[in-house]
Each structure stands twice: as structure tokens, then as C-alpha cells.
Amino acid sequence: MKKWPVVFAFVLALSFGGMLLLVALSPDFVEPVSLLSQEGVPEDSPIWEKKLDDLADYLISEGVLSTGDYGLLSAGVATDARLYEDVELYWWDVKNLEEGTAEYKAYEEAVSEGVIDLWSSGNLMNVTVHGPFAIGYHANYQGDFDRLLELFYAYCAEE
């Protein structure tokens, strides 16, 4: 009867020692990455100062969107989110996003995973992100999505 408490104490001591070793070998604190830090987009790029109206006007002038008519998408996903002819355009005011908000979470997910999980419901919206903008499309989009993406990247790369 006395051997089980000894075995249990030995297993607990090994577990505790293993956890200490794991913590001791883990890396030191790493500073969080700025929201303005994105691969291929320098923090001083002028793209961070542009708004969704600017992107929409550019896509209309290039002919991939025919009109400026749009519907508003879900609030809380982005600072400004609109639906133009089955093309979703998102814009985040990255400099003023508050950590912990739904917009902040949506932006982080969009940048790191290429999706927005609508209010953590499991409803995933695939998007392409560049700077403070994201673009997505519906399955019934009638235009040339490759051209749309090409123009989106060209707009975001303008100096």
C-alpha cells in the first residue's frame, strides 16, 4: 500500500521538473510585432495613409468595378467594409486599432491566416491582404479575379 504514494510523488516530481526545464529552455520575451509591420510593405509606405474610397475609385477607373454603388458589410470586422458587385473590400485604420477589439482580431487573422473568422463563429471569409486593405470575392463574381488582384497589388505598391 505504501508504494503507490511513493510512485505518485515520484511522477509528480518528474512532471514538476519537466515543466521547470521547459520554462528554462523557452525563449525570452519577444516584443510584439507592430501592426504596421507586414512582409513586403514597409512601415513608411504611403499605403498606410490611403482610405477605402481611394482604392474603390482606382478599381472603378481601371474598369474592374463598374459603379461606385456598394453595400455595407458586417460592422466590427473592419473599420470600413463594403461589397461592390460581389467583391468585398476591407480597410482597417491600423494606427488606431485597439488591441482586443473584433476589428483588431479580424485584421490579425487576415494578415496571418488569409481569412476573417466572422465574430469567431466559424464563418471564414477568404481575403487577400496588403497593407491596411483586404480584398475578397463571392463565387458568383463575374469579372476577372486575376486582373482584380493584379490591380489591387499595383495600387498598394504605388509610391
Side-chain angles (χ1 to χ4, degrees):
M1 281 298 228
K2 291 185 177 187
K3 75 176 183 178
W4 290 114
V6 171
V7 169
F8 182 70
F10 181 71
V11 168
L12 274 175
L14 279 177
S15 298
F16 182 73
M19 291 302 295
L20 284 177
L21 184 63
L22 180 69
V23 169
L25 295 176
S26 64
D28 291 334
F29 176 75
V30 177
E31 286 293 326
V33 176
S34 165
L35 288 179
L36 295 178
S37 177
Q38 208 177 98
E39 188 175 328
V41 186
E43 288 190 35
D44 61 348
S45 171
I47 191 65
W48 299 109
E49 302 302 323
K50 296 182 181 181
K51 307 282 189 248
L52 192 57
D53 286 329
D54 303 326
L55 174 61
D57 291 343
Y58 173 76
L59 295 175
I60 291 167
S61 72
E62 292 294 327
V64 292
L65 297 178
S66 59
T67 70
D69 296 337
Y70 62 87
L72 294 176
L73 294 173
S74 300
V77 173
T79 307
D80 196 358
R82 302 176 188 173
L83 178 65
Y84 291 86
E85 304 165 19
D86 296 321
V87 175
E88 299 170 354
L89 298 179
Y90 301 90
W91 173 76
W92 288 271
D93 184 4
V94 178
K95 292 180 180 177
N96 295 311
L97 281 182
E98 292 183 32
E99 192 169 350
T101 63
E103 285 180 25
Y104 186 94
K105 183 176 182 251
Y107 181 74
E108 280 190 322
E109 286 177 342
V111 170
S112 63
E113 301 171 27
V115 297
I116 297 172
D117 184 359
L118 190 59
W119 301 304
S120 302
S121 66
N123 181 11
L124 301 179
M125 301 176 296
N126 293 319
V127 293
T128 300
V129 180
H130 200 76
F133 298 105
I135 190 168
Y137 70 100
H138 292 193
N140 52 350
Y141 173 62
Q142 300 296 317
D144 180 359
F145 189 67
D146 291 333
R147 171 118 171 91
L148 179 65
L149 273 181
E150 178 184 308
L151 290 169
F152 173 69
Y153 283 123
Y155 176 79
C156 292
E158 287 179 354
E159 292 296 325

